[in-house]
Amino acid sequence: MKRIPVLFQLIIILSIVLIIPLSIVSQYFSSNMIQYSEDEIVSTELSNLRSDSRLTETVLFNAIDDAFQLVQDGALKKIKNIRTYKELNSDYENILVGLNVYNAIKTIQSNNNEVYSAYFYLEGADYVISSNRGIVLIDDFASVDWLTTSDNGSGAKGVWYSRKISKSSINELKVGIDNGELDVLSYVYRLNSLTTSTRGAIVINFYESRISEELNDYNSSSNKNVFIIDTEGNVITHSNKELLYSNLQEDPMINKIIEANTNNGHELYNMNNKNYLYSYYKIPRLGWIFISTHPMDALMEKTNNLLQNYVFMTIMAILIGTALSVAIAYGFSKPIRQLAREVKKTFKFDKIKNHRNEFAFITEAMDEFQRQENKLREALKTQEKETKKMALYNLLHGDLKEELEIDVIEEMFPHEFFVVIIMTLDKLDKYRDKTNSEIRRYRRSLLYQIFDKAFPAQYHVSSARYEGDEIAIIINSDIENRSELIETIQNSLQSIKNDVQQVLDNTVTFGISKIHRHRDNVKECVFEATEAIKKRMVVGGDSIHLYVDDNAYNMKFHFFHNNENRIVNYLDSGDAEGVKREIMQIVSEIKKMDNITNENILLIFSQLIGTAVKYLADNNINAGKVFGNKINNYAVIWSMDTVDEIADYVNGLFQSIISYSTKEQINSVDYWQLIDKYINEHYKEDFLFEDLADNIGISYSYMRKIVKNETGKSLIDLLNQLRIEEAKRLLVDTDDNILDIALSVGYRNTQSFNRYFKKYLGISPNQYRKQVANNMADDNSTT
């Protein structure tokens, strides 16, 4: 087509233009006829119902997932033995446990708009932890008697109830205060040994009205209704509230849907000479059926209207198409040809072919203009950005020499006085561990925007990366008054510190230089700001520090020989508290000293690490066994920010020495004997290995290691083999059935019993009993 002139193309268009409108109208008519046919309508209704059901299921299970998360996080394990409201409020730890559970319950409600309330009821307790009433006595809460009479459900699934609840507590109802009732859909998740050792229930009450509104919100027709029933015909939710809690199984269509073998489908029903479409979608795991009803006549009304408009639209399309084709042929071709000729005369494009088609030529010419313009714009932007970046870098490092860079700096900073702020991250190694270079680069770009807007408009401010993850903020001002300028800078930093920490998800420390004249002294400003940051060692992170002159520092070296000697004595006596007390005294004394240097502090604790290493050598103890071979303790403390962090780390080293020495000197408890005795005495019972480890006083992982070393077996294998041996005896010596034997040796059901029996013996319990009986019969016959 590029070889055909525009005029000829328009003539071709004119000849076929009458066919195109007819084709469009025909396609429109055909596609809409298919869409609004009976089959397509049914498919659309089923698809909409499936989407509604999945959306509803997702909304409900978002809240249920929060409940599961509460159980998995282990927050309920700590509250399982607190049975009374008085005990729960008796001390700080119990209150904290209750608040943790309350916050988790509150999260279930706050995260889900469809949740009216959620609460946790501990079995046998006299209180309830509720999202809308807090931690209250049962009498100050709505009745929970229905929980004791309701179905327990099975396994870890939970049970749904459609019910009406009172907004009043038991005590309010007793004194005649009635706050009304609310229709809810309650989800009851009963805690069991499969998930936690705590017994009780988590109840989530969903607004029935909001679920119904979600289902019917997107329906454009008021004649359509979507509702939910269970497999027995009981109404779960319905837009007609008079039908709530009723049973619709007597309705022949509802009964037919319930008995249908498919999980989704539709039925057509004629009532009073009107056809109705019933669509349904079943969710077996919930035991729910989503049903929508819609008059079929209303759905087919659009198809009938389309048929009536078909002839009119066809005629109009032909007339409009003819008029547009003629107008384009006579009015559009001449200007296009003239424009193409002018462009060819004025510009010379080597890369563009001399097309006979004017449209193709002009299009390629415009593309070439755009490419050249974009290339020039990008080149200018890149050059400007790189020049500014390099100029700032050289300014901070005192290496500003190029005339172009000097011009950029003078334009950016027209005033005489300069102050530099260095921002550094606290606990930098941990920050780097939890982020990657892309995240850090993105966060720095956000900080540049914050810093450039943080200070008063009369200051000229620019920020740039200095070293590593440090950011330098250069402030240029005509204000010579140090106190006024520094106060303004400090106030500005305080106002943005929370924003900075939110961006980084980490605390930061700022160092502020003195005021210097002229850009040549910016390097000195950088040095001063970096030195100011070193105050973090004593003061701590998340702070702002001003530079103090070197002559203000006390250059005398300090060391605590007496504390060191006492620490060695405490190591000999195994007094862990004594060691900790001495180290805390050293920290306290350091904080009292004016302007002690960071180097002095690091040397003090390096000397203490040397004392620890010397103590191990003197006592013929391999330091690698105590500290690990791959850890450089000196490098670790030199990378830390504050004296408190260093003190905690060094104290931990000494505590490790005491712990190791104690284990070597004292005979270890025979944990295997305790484990073996307990399992042999209780293998027929249902108990948790974690509880056994807690009772003995060791971790669960260490207990597994002991059993593996002593027997070569895992804990579960040891327990199951004891149960199987006892089961073998009962199979031979008694006539008990398989279920009774399974329960008597500690299994909950025959499935688990059969699986483990076959795992260890290769045959089922029935096969084993028959095999032993046959062997005994053979022996008797031989005798």
Side-chain angles (χ1 to χ4, degrees):
M1 294 294 289
K2 292 184 178 180
R3 299 181 179 180
I4 303 175
V6 172
L7 183 59
F8 293 134
Q9 287 188 3
L10 293 177
I11 294 173
I12 294 172
I13 292 172
L14 184 60
S15 65
I16 65 173
V17 74
L18 295 179
I19 302 173
I20 294 175
L22 285 173
S23 301
I24 294 173
V25 172
S26 298
Q27 179 64 29
Y28 174 81
F29 175 75
S30 300
S31 62
N32 279 277
M33 282 295 292
I34 294 172
Q35 180 180 356
Y36 294 109
S37 66
E38 183 174 302
D39 292 338
E40 191 66 16
I41 289 170
V42 168
S43 177
T44 302
E45 288 298 302
L46 280 174
S47 177
N48 292 338
L49 184 61
R50 187 180 296 109
S51 298
D52 289 343
S53 64
R54 288 176 179 172
L55 177 60
T56 302
E57 187 178 12
T58 299
V59 169
L60 297 178
F61 275 90
N62 280 342
I64 295 171
D65 287 343
D66 289 341
F68 288 167
Q69 187 63 43
L70 167 59
V71 176
Q72 292 173 2
D73 287 345
L76 299 181
K77 185 176 180 181
K78 297 180 180 179
I79 204 171
K80 67 180 181 179
N81 295 321
I82 306 175
R83 300 290 180 179
T84 65
Y85 184 85
K86 181 178 180 181
E87 183 182 0
L88 184 63
N89 290 276
S90 62
D91 60 54
Y92 175 77
E93 291 186 359
N94 286 356
I95 292 172
L96 188 59
V97 168
L99 287 176
N100 286 339
V101 176
Y102 166 72
N103 290 333
I105 292 294
K106 187 67 177 178
T107 298
I108 295 174
Q109 181 186 18
S110 60
N111 285 351
N112 303 276
N113 292 331
E114 287 73 19
V115 174
Y116 165 70
S117 68
Y119 63 88
F120 164 67
Y121 171 64
L122 179 65
E123 187 173 288
D126 64 352
Y127 62 88
V128 172
I129 301 179
S130 166
S131 63
N132 58 346
R133 289 182 180 263
I135 305 175
V136 296
L137 289 167
I138 289 179
D139 287 341
D140 292 328
F141 191 73
S143 174
V144 296
D145 292 341
W146 65 279
L147 280 175
T148 61
T149 59
S150 60
D151 181 18
N152 287 327
S154 61
K157 290 195 303 184
V159 184
W160 294 92
Y161 299 96
S162 181
R163 64 194 189 96
K164 188 183 294 291
I165 65 171
S166 174
K167 295 183 180 179
S168 303
S169 67
I170 296 174
N171 285 333
E172 288 174 338
L173 291 174
K174 288 180 179 179
V175 297
I177 300 175
D178 187 359
N179 295 321
E181 295 180 318
L182 181 70
D183 296 314
V184 298
L185 180 59
S186 297
Y187 175 79
V188 180
Y189 178 63
R190 295 191 180 278
L191 306 178
N192 54 66
S193 59
L194 293 175
T195 55
T196 177
S197 56
T198 305
R199 297 294 180 267
I202 297 175
V203 179
I204 306 174
N205 294 318
F206 295 88
Y207 288 100
E208 183 278 334
S209 59
R210 292 189 182 178
I211 296 173
S212 179
E213 289 169 3
E214 288 283 347
L215 290 173
N216 291 281
D217 186 43
Y218 304 103
N219 300 327
S220 60
S221 172
S222 60
N223 294 323
K224 183 176 180 180
N225 181 34
V226 181
F227 57 95
I228 306 173
I229 63 172
D230 62 20
T231 55
E232 296 179 1
N234 296 312
V235 176
I236 302 296
T237 180
H238 204 293
S239 58
N240 184 356
K241 304 309 176 186
E242 295 179 0
L243 295 178
L244 283 177
Y245 317 115
S246 64
N247 189 289
L248 303 180
Q249 198 164 9
E250 294 182 1
D251 186 319
M253 284 306 302
I254 299 298
N255 187 52
K256 189 174 182 179
I257 290 172
I258 292 173
E259 294 179 355
N261 294 326
T262 58
N263 285 336
N264 61 82
H266 71 281
E267 297 289 344
L268 293 175
Y269 182 63
N270 186 281
M271 182 173 63
N272 297 329
N273 295 323
K274 290 184 178 180
N275 291 321
Y276 289 86
L277 173 63
Y278 281 69
S279 304
Y280 65 91
Y281 182 79
K282 298 181 180 180
I283 303 181
R285 68 167 176 162
L286 290 177
W288 290 0
I289 305 173
F290 288 73
I291 300 175
S292 71
T293 63
H294 204 295
M296 200 65 183
D297 294 338
L299 294 173
M300 295 297 294
E301 184 177 359
K302 294 181 180 179
T303 303
N304 297 329
N305 292 335
L306 287 172
L307 287 170
Q308 295 175 2
N309 294 328
Y310 174 72
V311 176
F312 175 77
M313 291 178 64
T314 302
I315 296 172
M316 290 300 298
I318 293 173
L319 294 175
I320 293 172
T322 301
L324 289 175
S325 298
V326 173
I328 291 172
Y330 286 92
F332 193 66
S333 61
K334 186 175 180 180
I336 292 296
R337 293 196 304 273
Q338 290 177 346
L339 176 62
R341 284 195 296 269
E342 291 297 326
V343 171
K344 288 178 182 179
K345 286 181 181 180
T346 308
F347 302 98
K348 302 295 183 181
F349 294 111
D350 297 334
K351 296 182 180 180
I352 299 179
K353 297 178 181 179
N354 189 17
H355 297 287
R356 295 181 65 187
N357 183 283
E358 293 84 354
F359 274 126
F361 174 78
I362 292 174
T363 299
E364 290 195 22
M366 293 300 103
D367 289 342
E368 183 63 24
F369 286 145
Q370 187 65 44
R371 280 193 295 270
Q372 293 183 6
E373 182 182 356
N374 291 341
K375 192 179 296 184
L376 179 60
R377 186 183 293 113
E378 289 299 322
L380 291 173
K381 284 184 178 179
T382 301
Q383 183 178 2
E384 181 182 357
K385 185 176 180 181
E386 289 300 321
T387 302
K388 180 180 177 181
K389 183 178 179 181
M390 183 57 65
L392 287 173
Y393 179 86
N394 290 333
L395 177 66
L396 292 170
H397 290 81
D399 196 25
L400 194 65
K401 298 176 181 178
E402 296 291 334
E403 184 175 347
L404 178 61
E405 293 179 358
I406 294 174
D407 292 341
V408 170
I409 293 300
E410 288 181 347
E411 182 180 353
M412 293 173 62
F413 306 116
H415 297 307
E416 182 179 4
F417 301 102
F418 288 85
V419 173
V420 172
I421 304 167
I422 298 293
M423 184 218 78
T424 186
L425 287 94
D426 301 329
K427 300 181 180 179
L428 180 59
D429 290 340
K430 292 183 179 180
Y431 175 76
R432 287 177 174 171
D433 288 341
K434 65 183 181 180
T435 58
N436 57 41
S437 59
E438 291 298 324
I439 292 176
R440 294 196 291 272
R441 185 182 297 110
Y442 171 69
R443 290 178 176 178
R444 281 195 299 271
S445 68
L446 296 179
L447 293 182
Y448 296 150
Q449 299 175 28
I450 293 175
F451 292 148
D452 291 347
K453 299 176 182 178
F455 301 92
Q458 64 267 29
Y459 297 165
H460 291 264
V461 180
S462 185
S463 54
R465 187 178 182 183
Y466 176 56
E467 298 290 347
D469 288 287
E470 292 181 338
I471 293 178
I473 308 169
I474 305 172
I475 299 177
N476 179 236
S477 172
D478 58 356
I479 300 176
E480 185 177 6
N481 187 313
R482 171 178 169 79
S483 60
E484 178 185 348
L485 180 57
I486 296 300
E487 182 181 0
T488 302
I489 291 174
Q490 285 181 303
N491 292 337
S492 299
L493 291 177
Q494 286 289 354
S495 67
I496 65 170
K497 193 164 68 169
N498 289 336
D499 294 336
V500 172
Q501 292 177 3
Q502 186 175 1
V503 169
L504 296 172
D505 192 23
N506 200 82
T507 59
V508 297
T509 296
F510 294 96
I512 306 175
S513 74
K514 297 193 300 183
I515 301 175
H516 287 268
R517 292 177 181 269
H518 201 264
R519 64 174 182 271
D520 291 342
N521 291 315
V522 168
K523 182 179 180 180
E524 182 68 18
C525 291
V526 172
F527 168 77
E528 293 174 354
T530 304
E531 287 296 307
I533 290 173
K534 291 183 178 180
K535 293 183 181 180
R536 175 176 60 183
M537 176 65 74
V538 175
V539 178
D542 191 17
S543 52
I544 301 172
H545 303 289
L546 299 175
Y547 173 72
V548 178
D549 289 337
D550 286 339
N551 56 17
Y553 280 92
N554 181 2
M555 302 306 293
K556 178 182 177 181
F557 179 80
H558 300 274
F559 190 69
F560 300 87
H561 296 284
N562 293 333
N563 297 89
E564 177 188 6
N565 293 333
R566 286 194 291 270
I567 287 173
V568 173
N569 292 334
Y570 287 136
L571 288 176
D572 289 332
S573 62
D575 188 350
E577 287 299 320
V579 172
K580 182 178 180 181
R581 189 166 55 250
E582 293 299 324
I583 293 177
M584 292 301 103
Q585 183 180 354
I586 292 173
V587 173
S588 177
E589 292 299 322
I590 288 174
K591 291 184 176 180
K592 292 178 183 177
M593 296 177 182
D594 293 331
N595 300 321
I596 184 172
T597 65
N598 286 12
E599 290 77 9
N600 193 167
I601 295 171
L602 291 167
L603 288 173
I604 290 171
F605 286 98
S606 295
Q607 181 70 21
L608 289 178
I609 293 176
T611 300
V613 174
K614 182 177 182 300
Y615 178 84
L616 293 174
D618 292 343
N619 289 274
N620 197 28
I621 299 174
N622 188 331
K625 291 184 178 181
V626 180
F627 303 141
N629 293 320
K630 297 182 179 180
I631 299 177
N632 185 337
N633 293 311
Y634 298 101
V636 171
I637 67 169
W638 280 75
S639 67
M640 291 181 174
D641 297 335
T642 66
V643 68
D644 291 320
E645 291 180 59
I646 297 173
D648 288 341
Y649 183 80
V650 173
N651 179 56
L653 297 180
F654 285 117
Q655 301 303 322
S656 298
I657 294 173
I658 293 173
S659 176
Y660 182 85
S661 300
T662 302
K663 290 179 181 178
E664 290 294 314
Q665 296 171 3
I666 301 174
N667 292 328
S668 60
V669 178
D670 191 352
Y671 291 118
W672 161 242
Q673 184 179 0
L674 298 175
I675 296 168
D676 184 58
K677 179 181 178 183
Y678 187 93
I679 293 178
N680 275 280
E681 291 177 355
H682 299 277
Y683 70 89
K684 297 180 182 180
E685 303 171 8
D686 184 13
F687 67 89
L688 296 174
F689 288 124
E690 289 84 355
D691 292 340
L692 170 56
D694 290 342
N695 291 333
I696 295 175
I698 59 177
S699 69
Y700 174 59
S701 59
Y702 183 54
M703 183 174 71
R704 290 193 305 173
K705 182 179 179 182
I706 292 173
V707 173
K708 188 71 174 179
N709 290 340
E710 291 291 339
T711 67
K713 304 173 184 176
S714 66
L715 268 168
I716 193 67
D717 283 339
L718 177 63
L719 177 64
N720 281 314
Q721 287 184 5
L722 287 173
R723 290 175 171 175
I724 296 303
E725 286 301 318
E726 177 62 11
K728 287 165 58 179
R729 185 188 67 79
L730 294 174
L731 287 167
V732 175
D733 296 342
T734 71
D735 295 326
D736 294 345
N737 60 43
I738 299 301
L739 177 59
D740 290 340
I741 292 175
L743 295 176
S744 67
V745 298
Y747 292 104
R748 296 181 180 179
N749 51 60
T750 56
Q751 289 84 357
S752 297
F753 176 51
N754 286 333
R755 184 172 68 254
Y756 284 113
F757 197 98
K758 195 166 185 178
K759 174 183 177 182
Y760 295 106
L761 297 182
I763 58 176
S764 68
N766 279 325
Q767 291 172 333
Y768 177 83
R769 174 175 272 173
K770 291 177 181 179
Q771 189 180 85
V772 172
N774 291 336
N775 291 339
M776 293 176 64
D778 291 340
D779 291 340
N780 292 334
S781 63
T782 302
T783 302

